[in-house]
Amino acid sequence: MPVAFRLPLQVFYEREARHPRQTFLVQPVGGGEVQRLTWAEAGHQARCAAHWLRARELPQGSHIALISKNCAHWIIVDLAIWMAGHVSVPLYPNLTADSVAHVLTHSEAALVFIGKLDDWPAMAPGVPAGVPTISLPLCPAGAFDFNWADLLACSPIQDDPAPAASDLATIIYTSGTTGLPKGVMHSFGALGFAASHGSELFGLGEGDRLLSYLPLCHVAERMFVEMAAIYTGQTVFFAESLDTFLTDLRRARPTALFGVPRIWTKFQMGVYAKIPEKRLDTLLRLPFIGKRVGHKVLAGLGLDALRVALSGAAPVPEALLRWYQRLGLDVLEVYGMTESCGYSHVCRPGQQTLGWIGLPCPGVEVRIDPAGEVQVRSGATMLGYFKDPQKTAETLTADGFLRTGDKGEQDAAGRLRLTGRLKEIFKTSKGKYVAPAPIENRLAEHARIEQVCVVGDGLPAPIGLCVLSAVGEDRQGLRASLERWLEQVNQALDKHERLRQLVVVKDSWAVENGFLTPTLKIKRNVIESTYGAHFQTWSERSESVLWQD
């Protein structure tokens, strides 16, 4: 049955033909230099690589892995894999060797492309014996079976392969806040459905610019950067490194940017490091001057051209949204899952209601089941989990709705508000259930709390574990500020939800040490196993705010 929208490769061929000389990808190559690739140049390289892949004579629909940080050739390889009739399997660029081995083995990867990476020697032992490796430009030093020059030596394919909407396009392994990652299977139709409808929401087009910095192997960046660029014609700029991020941002001056709450908080902390919070607050309140100050702050960040600012993966503290509004920028929340191509709900420009995510995306059906779970169905819903029919049956209802695992509610206009995760809800020793996410979101509005995790399973009352931002302040004054904030937050909670105390932990929570997923979500199981032995002792202390010894 024909589909009412175009599929990714079809749209790419159209752009390749219509404006071949227009810049598509802008890649930093070190020393402040960049490489610009036009649509025609990207297409030529993808077609050469597709020829080389075809020459391997692999079975149609073979799984080809890609391990790389974001770069121009990540997208080019993805296109080449599809043109050759295969399925792309992207991996996070900071996995352990054991995790690399698990994904490559589970996905039955026939080949693996190796791109820009920070610590390839730590990952390399995870590549199973007999799986050929192909090095991409900007790849680390190492011994690889083939290199990109070998692929470019092939003549480009002359046909325009057109996979069917029902064909498998990619297997995206979830980052996993608990347990082993699952392989989410998406068809070309699912990608096309989400990209076609999503690209119509914000009026973005060929004059717009994107900055790619969150992992492209994650569904959000895959859709908002790779697919959005193909479907709207935007130019994609890549970030070189964490150290050059602000320079990269200012170079791109993106007109559209997707971030997670931690990124938007980092921007705010960067501003406060240059101008004290109270002084900025005073300046923003001044008539006439306040608007200019807000624009100047955004310009300093490289965000002055931003027309579409989106945030997903976790709720954004309302105080942070209000802060950006005062600068003159509406940060709009989006909601989705890997299993739905990241396509579910989005706040529309000019319709922001703090505390509510927004309306369903076009073509998305929503229902709340009797237990309060949000369930969604659309053309972007996954085919299932690779080699896991039992988990697929648990996640997809008989009538095709995706069980999100999120509790939520809808208002009369259809806007969605999340109230917690079904599986994260815990029971205190008093037999009362507590949903941690809304409490964490409220606590995170304190300017110094960078990350927070509320725990309390089996405890008399919940406690909050937090990591503070690195801004100089005496502990006594900070303790008093946190005590006041805890009291204020507790007053707005039901009695059984009120926190016994806040504990400032001495660790930093990062992707590298396993406390965060690659999309900067906290791993509750890691946090609870790391600090769990102290919970009872801490809860018996009399202080409302204490520092981990």
Side-chain angles (χ1 to χ4, degrees), residues 13-45:
Y13 301 146
E14 291 172 4
R15 296 211 169 277
E16 188 186 27
R18 190 166 75 248
H19 43 65
R21 295 183 182 84
Q22 185 169 306
T23 300
F24 175 27
L25 307 168
V26 181
Q27 174 65 54
V29 292
E33 299 296 315
V34 297
Q35 177 189 18
R36 295 176 180 270
L37 291 166
T38 65
W39 288 88
E41 289 167 339
H44 174 82
Q45 293 195 24

mmCIF file of all heavy atoms in Angstrom, residues 13-45:
data_model
loop_
_atom_site.group_PDB
_atom_site.id
_atom_site.type_symbol
_atom_site.label_atom_id
_atom_site.label_comp_id
_atom_site.label_asym_id
_atom_site.label_seq_id
_atom_site.Cartn_x
_atom_site.Cartn_y
_atom_site.Cartn_z
ATOM 1 N N TYR A 13 17.714 11.994 -2.326
ATOM 2 C CA TYR A 13 17.982 12.066 -3.778
ATOM 3 C C TYR A 13 17.435 13.371 -4.358
ATOM 4 O O TYR A 13 18.062 13.982 -5.221
ATOM 5 C CB TYR A 13 17.340 10.886 -4.504
ATOM 6 C CG TYR A 13 17.789 9.522 -4.056
ATOM 7 C CD1 TYR A 13 16.896 8.448 -4.055
ATOM 8 C CD2 TYR A 13 19.106 9.285 -3.644
ATOM 9 C CE1 TYR A 13 17.290 7.177 -3.652
ATOM 10 C CE2 TYR A 13 19.505 8.027 -3.233
ATOM 11 C CZ TYR A 13 18.595 6.972 -3.234
ATOM 12 O OH TYR A 13 18.983 5.728 -2.829
ATOM 13 N N GLU A 14 16.274 13.795 -3.883
ATOM 14 C CA GLU A 14 15.675 15.036 -4.394
ATOM 15 C C GLU A 14 16.555 16.239 -4.070
ATOM 16 O O GLU A 14 16.768 17.117 -4.909
ATOM 17 C CB GLU A 14 14.283 15.222 -3.787
ATOM 18 C CG GLU A 14 13.255 14.212 -4.286
ATOM 19 C CD GLU A 14 11.937 14.294 -3.526
ATOM 20 O OE1 GLU A 14 11.806 15.194 -2.665
ATOM 21 O OE2 GLU A 14 11.049 13.451 -3.772
ATOM 22 N N ARG A 15 17.080 16.274 -2.857
ATOM 23 C CA ARG A 15 17.937 17.404 -2.457
ATOM 24 C C ARG A 15 19.262 17.363 -3.211
ATOM 25 O O ARG A 15 19.784 18.389 -3.650
ATOM 26 C CB ARG A 15 18.199 17.374 -0.955
ATOM 27 C CG ARG A 15 16.944 17.563 -0.157
ATOM 28 C CD ARG A 15 17.182 18.254 1.174
ATOM 29 N NE ARG A 15 15.877 18.611 1.734
ATOM 30 C CZ ARG A 15 15.198 19.677 1.420
ATOM 31 N NH1 ARG A 15 15.716 20.544 0.549
ATOM 32 N NH2 ARG A 15 14.016 19.927 1.941
ATOM 33 N N GLU A 16 19.803 16.181 -3.357
ATOM 34 C CA GLU A 16 21.053 15.974 -4.082
ATOM 35 C C GLU A 16 20.925 16.517 -5.506
ATOM 36 O O GLU A 16 21.858 17.145 -6.035
ATOM 37 C CB GLU A 16 21.337 14.472 -4.084
ATOM 38 C CG GLU A 16 22.663 14.029 -4.614
ATOM 39 C CD GLU A 16 22.731 12.505 -4.681
ATOM 40 O OE1 GLU A 16 21.663 11.847 -4.823
ATOM 41 O OE2 GLU A 16 23.833 11.978 -4.614
ATOM 42 N N ALA A 17 19.753 16.329 -6.103
ATOM 43 C CA ALA A 17 19.539 16.773 -7.488
ATOM 44 C C ALA A 17 19.176 18.249 -7.567
ATOM 45 O O ALA A 17 19.598 18.947 -8.501
ATOM 46 C CB ALA A 17 18.432 15.936 -8.125
ATOM 47 N N ARG A 18 18.418 18.745 -6.584
ATOM 48 C CA ARG A 18 17.888 20.104 -6.677
ATOM 49 C C ARG A 18 18.917 21.178 -6.322
ATOM 50 O O ARG A 18 18.991 22.220 -6.958
ATOM 51 C CB ARG A 18 16.657 20.258 -5.785
ATOM 52 C CG ARG A 18 15.934 21.583 -6.038
ATOM 53 C CD ARG A 18 14.547 21.639 -5.436
ATOM 54 N NE ARG A 18 14.564 21.810 -3.987
ATOM 55 C CZ ARG A 18 14.175 20.887 -3.116
ATOM 56 N NH1 ARG A 18 13.762 19.722 -3.542
ATOM 57 N NH2 ARG A 18 14.210 21.107 -1.830
ATOM 58 N N HIS A 19 19.697 20.963 -5.263
ATOM 59 C CA HIS A 19 20.714 21.967 -4.922
ATOM 60 C C HIS A 19 22.033 21.277 -4.560
ATOM 61 O O HIS A 19 22.455 21.263 -3.397
ATOM 62 C CB HIS A 19 20.249 22.894 -3.792
ATOM 63 C CG HIS A 19 19.551 22.202 -2.655
ATOM 64 N ND1 HIS A 19 20.185 21.304 -1.824
ATOM 65 C CD2 HIS A 19 18.274 22.287 -2.207
ATOM 66 C CE1 HIS A 19 19.341 20.893 -0.907
ATOM 67 N NE2 HIS A 19 18.176 21.451 -1.121
ATOM 68 N N PRO A 20 22.681 20.685 -5.553
ATOM 69 C CA PRO A 20 23.906 19.904 -5.316
ATOM 70 C C PRO A 20 25.040 20.708 -4.698
ATOM 71 O O PRO A 20 25.861 20.154 -3.958
ATOM 72 C CB PRO A 20 24.285 19.382 -6.700
ATOM 73 C CG PRO A 20 23.618 20.320 -7.660
ATOM 74 C CD PRO A 20 22.342 20.734 -6.991
ATOM 75 N N ARG A 21 25.115 22.015 -4.989
ATOM 76 C CA ARG A 21 26.251 22.820 -4.520
ATOM 77 C C ARG A 21 25.994 23.479 -3.169
ATOM 78 O O ARG A 21 26.858 24.164 -2.637
ATOM 79 C CB ARG A 21 26.602 23.893 -5.564
ATOM 80 C CG ARG A 21 27.108 23.319 -6.885
ATOM 81 C CD ARG A 21 27.514 24.416 -7.852
ATOM 82 N NE ARG A 21 27.944 23.876 -9.132
ATOM 83 C CZ ARG A 21 27.129 23.543 -10.119
ATOM 84 N NH1 ARG A 21 25.820 23.721 -9.971
ATOM 85 N NH2 ARG A 21 27.586 23.043 -11.247
ATOM 86 N N GLN A 22 24.823 23.289 -2.640
ATOM 87 C CA GLN A 22 24.519 23.890 -1.330
ATOM 88 C C GLN A 22 25.204 23.101 -0.223
ATOM 89 O O GLN A 22 25.282 21.879 -0.264
ATOM 90 C CB GLN A 22 23.000 23.904 -1.102
ATOM 91 C CG GLN A 22 22.571 24.622 0.171
ATOM 92 C CD GLN A 22 21.072 24.831 0.197
ATOM 93 O OE1 GLN A 22 20.504 25.400 -0.747
ATOM 94 N NE2 GLN A 22 20.417 24.355 1.240
ATOM 95 N N THR A 23 25.709 23.814 0.801
ATOM 96 C CA THR A 23 26.398 23.145 1.909
ATOM 97 C C THR A 23 25.419 22.326 2.733
ATOM 98 O O THR A 23 24.367 22.810 3.149
ATOM 99 C CB THR A 23 27.105 24.175 2.811
ATOM 100 O OG1 THR A 23 28.056 24.908 2.036
ATOM 101 C CG2 THR A 23 27.830 23.485 3.953
ATOM 102 N N PHE A 24 25.797 21.079 2.989
ATOM 103 C CA PHE A 24 24.984 20.161 3.784
ATOM 104 C C PHE A 24 25.613 19.944 5.167
ATOM 105 O O PHE A 24 24.951 20.070 6.195
ATOM 106 C CB PHE A 24 24.852 18.841 3.018
ATOM 107 C CG PHE A 24 24.142 17.728 3.738
ATOM 108 C CD1 PHE A 24 23.188 17.975 4.727
ATOM 109 C CD2 PHE A 24 24.410 16.401 3.411
ATOM 110 C CE1 PHE A 24 22.532 16.930 5.382
ATOM 111 C CE2 PHE A 24 23.759 15.350 4.061
ATOM 112 C CZ PHE A 24 22.825 15.619 5.045
ATOM 113 N N LEU A 25 26.938 19.653 5.191
ATOM 114 C CA LEU A 25 27.611 19.276 6.429
ATOM 115 C C LEU A 25 28.862 20.137 6.626
ATOM 116 O O LEU A 25 29.641 20.332 5.689
ATOM 117 C CB LEU A 25 28.019 17.794 6.380
ATOM 118 C CG LEU A 25 26.894 16.793 6.039
ATOM 119 C CD1 LEU A 25 27.475 15.415 5.740
ATOM 120 C CD2 LEU A 25 25.869 16.715 7.168
ATOM 121 N N VAL A 26 29.052 20.649 7.858
ATOM 122 C CA VAL A 26 30.220 21.467 8.183
ATOM 123 C C VAL A 26 30.961 20.789 9.331
ATOM 124 O O VAL A 26 30.475 20.749 10.462
ATOM 125 C CB VAL A 26 29.828 22.901 8.571
ATOM 126 C CG1 VAL A 26 31.078 23.731 8.874
ATOM 127 C CG2 VAL A 26 29.009 23.555 7.457
ATOM 128 N N GLN A 27 32.149 20.248 9.035
ATOM 129 C CA GLN A 27 32.889 19.417 9.983
ATOM 130 C C GLN A 27 34.186 20.097 10.442
ATOM 131 O O GLN A 27 35.073 20.368 9.629
ATOM 132 C CB GLN A 27 33.240 18.074 9.309
ATOM 133 C CG GLN A 27 34.130 17.179 10.145
ATOM 134 C CD GLN A 27 33.423 16.722 11.404
ATOM 135 O OE1 GLN A 27 32.332 16.166 11.347
ATOM 136 N NE2 GLN A 27 34.040 16.967 12.554
ATOM 137 N N PRO A 28 34.332 20.396 11.747
ATOM 138 C CA PRO A 28 35.627 20.887 12.242
ATOM 139 C C PRO A 28 36.696 19.810 12.075
ATOM 140 O O PRO A 28 36.455 18.629 12.330
ATOM 141 C CB PRO A 28 35.363 21.157 13.731
ATOM 142 C CG PRO A 28 33.882 21.202 13.889
ATOM 143 C CD PRO A 28 33.331 20.311 12.825
ATOM 144 N N VAL A 29 37.893 20.219 11.639
ATOM 145 C CA VAL A 29 38.980 19.250 11.427
ATOM 146 C C VAL A 29 40.211 19.611 12.242
ATOM 147 O O VAL A 29 41.287 19.058 12.021
ATOM 148 C CB VAL A 29 39.335 19.149 9.923
ATOM 149 C CG1 VAL A 29 38.202 18.501 9.150
ATOM 150 C CG2 VAL A 29 39.666 20.517 9.341
ATOM 151 N N GLY A 30 40.050 20.526 13.227
ATOM 152 C CA GLY A 30 41.155 20.894 14.102
ATOM 153 C C GLY A 30 41.774 22.218 13.717
ATOM 154 O O GLY A 30 41.740 22.628 12.550
ATOM 155 N N GLY A 31 42.321 22.901 14.724
ATOM 156 C CA GLY A 31 43.002 24.165 14.472
ATOM 157 C C GLY A 31 42.088 25.264 13.982
ATOM 158 O O GLY A 31 42.537 26.200 13.313
ATOM 159 N N GLY A 32 40.817 25.158 14.292
ATOM 160 C CA GLY A 32 39.866 26.168 13.858
ATOM 161 C C GLY A 32 39.410 26.029 12.423
ATOM 162 O O GLY A 32 38.601 26.819 11.943
ATOM 163 N N GLU A 33 39.935 25.016 11.716
ATOM 164 C CA GLU A 33 39.563 24.794 10.316
ATOM 165 C C GLU A 33 38.325 23.903 10.221
ATOM 166 O O GLU A 33 38.066 23.071 11.104
ATOM 167 C CB GLU A 33 40.714 24.124 9.565
ATOM 168 C CG GLU A 33 41.997 24.941 9.529
ATOM 169 C CD GLU A 33 41.827 26.251 8.769
ATOM 170 O OE1 GLU A 33 41.229 26.215 7.673
ATOM 171 O OE2 GLU A 33 42.272 27.291 9.280
ATOM 172 N N VAL A 34 37.564 24.083 9.146
ATOM 173 C CA VAL A 34 36.389 23.245 8.928
ATOM 174 C C VAL A 34 36.385 22.725 7.491
ATOM 175 O O VAL A 34 36.966 23.330 6.595
ATOM 176 C CB VAL A 34 35.060 24.001 9.192
ATOM 177 C CG1 VAL A 34 34.958 24.447 10.638
ATOM 178 C CG2 VAL A 34 34.876 25.165 8.234
ATOM 179 N N GLN A 35 35.746 21.576 7.311
ATOM 180 C CA GLN A 35 35.517 21.014 5.979
ATOM 181 C C GLN A 35 34.033 21.148 5.678
ATOM 182 O O GLN A 35 33.189 20.751 6.493
ATOM 183 C CB GLN A 35 35.923 19.543 5.939
ATOM 184 C CG GLN A 35 35.637 18.872 4.595
ATOM 185 C CD GLN A 35 35.856 17.362 4.646
ATOM 186 O OE1 GLN A 35 35.897 16.772 5.714
ATOM 187 N NE2 GLN A 35 35.990 16.749 3.479
ATOM 188 N N ARG A 36 33.713 21.715 4.538
ATOM 189 C CA ARG A 36 32.313 21.871 4.132
ATOM 190 C C ARG A 36 32.004 20.877 3.017
ATOM 191 O O ARG A 36 32.721 20.823 2.019
ATOM 192 C CB ARG A 36 32.035 23.300 3.659
ATOM 193 C CG ARG A 36 32.183 24.336 4.765
ATOM 194 C CD ARG A 36 32.009 25.758 4.274
ATOM 195 N NE ARG A 36 32.167 26.706 5.371
ATOM 196 C CZ ARG A 36 31.192 27.138 6.151
ATOM 197 N NH1 ARG A 36 29.948 26.712 5.918
ATOM 198 N NH2 ARG A 36 31.429 27.979 7.140
ATOM 199 N N LEU A 37 30.962 20.103 3.214
ATOM 200 C CA LEU A 37 30.543 19.130 2.212
ATOM 201 C C LEU A 37 29.178 19.518 1.672
ATOM 202 O O LEU A 37 28.238 19.758 2.444
ATOM 203 C CB LEU A 37 30.468 17.727 2.831
ATOM 204 C CG LEU A 37 31.809 17.090 3.215
ATOM 205 C CD1 LEU A 37 31.590 15.881 4.107
ATOM 206 C CD2 LEU A 37 32.578 16.687 1.965
ATOM 207 N N THR A 38 29.076 19.603 0.365
ATOM 208 C CA THR A 38 27.793 19.922 -0.264
ATOM 209 C C THR A 38 26.928 18.665 -0.313
ATOM 210 O O THR A 38 27.396 17.551 -0.049
ATOM 211 C CB THR A 38 28.005 20.446 -1.689
ATOM 212 O OG1 THR A 38 28.568 19.390 -2.482
ATOM 213 C CG2 THR A 38 28.907 21.670 -1.706
ATOM 214 N N TRP A 39 25.675 18.840 -0.680
ATOM 215 C CA TRP A 39 24.778 17.688 -0.846
ATOM 216 C C TRP A 39 25.323 16.732 -1.899
ATOM 217 O O TRP A 39 25.278 15.507 -1.722
ATOM 218 C CB TRP A 39 23.376 18.165 -1.229
ATOM 219 C CG TRP A 39 22.661 18.827 -0.085
ATOM 220 C CD1 TRP A 39 22.708 20.149 0.256
ATOM 221 C CD2 TRP A 39 21.824 18.182 0.875
ATOM 222 N NE1 TRP A 39 21.946 20.366 1.378
ATOM 223 C CE2 TRP A 39 21.381 19.194 1.771
ATOM 224 C CE3 TRP A 39 21.383 16.874 1.060
ATOM 225 C CZ2 TRP A 39 20.535 18.911 2.850
ATOM 226 C CZ3 TRP A 39 20.539 16.596 2.131
ATOM 227 C CH2 TRP A 39 20.119 17.600 3.008
ATOM 228 N N ALA A 40 25.886 17.291 -2.995
ATOM 229 C CA ALA A 40 26.426 16.433 -4.056
ATOM 230 C C ALA A 40 27.646 15.665 -3.568
ATOM 231 O O ALA A 40 27.820 14.475 -3.874
ATOM 232 C CB ALA A 40 26.789 17.270 -5.284
ATOM 233 N N GLU A 41 28.531 16.344 -2.817
ATOM 234 C CA GLU A 41 29.744 15.678 -2.319
ATOM 235 C C GLU A 41 29.395 14.582 -1.308
ATOM 236 O O GLU A 41 29.968 13.487 -1.335
ATOM 237 C CB GLU A 41 30.673 16.718 -1.688
ATOM 238 C CG GLU A 41 31.325 17.631 -2.725
ATOM 239 C CD GLU A 41 31.979 18.854 -2.108
ATOM 240 O OE1 GLU A 41 31.615 19.235 -0.963
ATOM 241 O OE2 GLU A 41 32.848 19.454 -2.770
ATOM 242 N N ALA A 42 28.454 14.868 -0.421
ATOM 243 C CA ALA A 42 28.023 13.845 0.542
ATOM 244 C C ALA A 42 27.394 12.665 -0.197
ATOM 245 O O ALA A 42 27.661 11.500 0.131
ATOM 246 C CB ALA A 42 27.036 14.448 1.539
ATOM 247 N N GLY A 43 26.582 12.974 -1.202
ATOM 248 C CA GLY A 43 25.945 11.920 -1.982
ATOM 249 C C GLY A 43 26.954 11.082 -2.742
ATOM 250 O O GLY A 43 26.837 9.850 -2.806
ATOM 251 N N HIS A 44 27.984 11.749 -3.322
ATOM 252 C CA HIS A 44 29.018 11.019 -4.066
ATOM 253 C C HIS A 44 29.737 10.036 -3.149
ATOM 254 O O HIS A 44 29.937 8.862 -3.512
ATOM 255 C CB HIS A 44 30.012 12.014 -4.668
ATOM 256 C CG HIS A 44 31.185 11.365 -5.333
ATOM 257 N ND1 HIS A 44 31.138 10.865 -6.618
ATOM 258 C CD2 HIS A 44 32.450 11.108 -4.872
ATOM 259 C CE1 HIS A 44 32.305 10.332 -6.934
ATOM 260 N NE2 HIS A 44 33.119 10.467 -5.884
ATOM 261 N N GLN A 45 30.134 10.505 -1.955
ATOM 262 C CA GLN A 45 30.859 9.616 -1.031
ATOM 263 C C GLN A 45 29.977 8.465 -0.565
ATOM 264 O O GLN A 45 30.436 7.320 -0.458
ATOM 265 C CB GLN A 45 31.389 10.415 0.161
ATOM 266 C CG GLN A 45 32.470 11.411 -0.220
ATOM 267 C CD GLN A 45 33.241 11.931 0.988
ATOM 268 O OE1 GLN A 45 33.313 11.297 2.032
ATOM 269 N NE2 GLN A 45 33.841 13.115 0.830
#
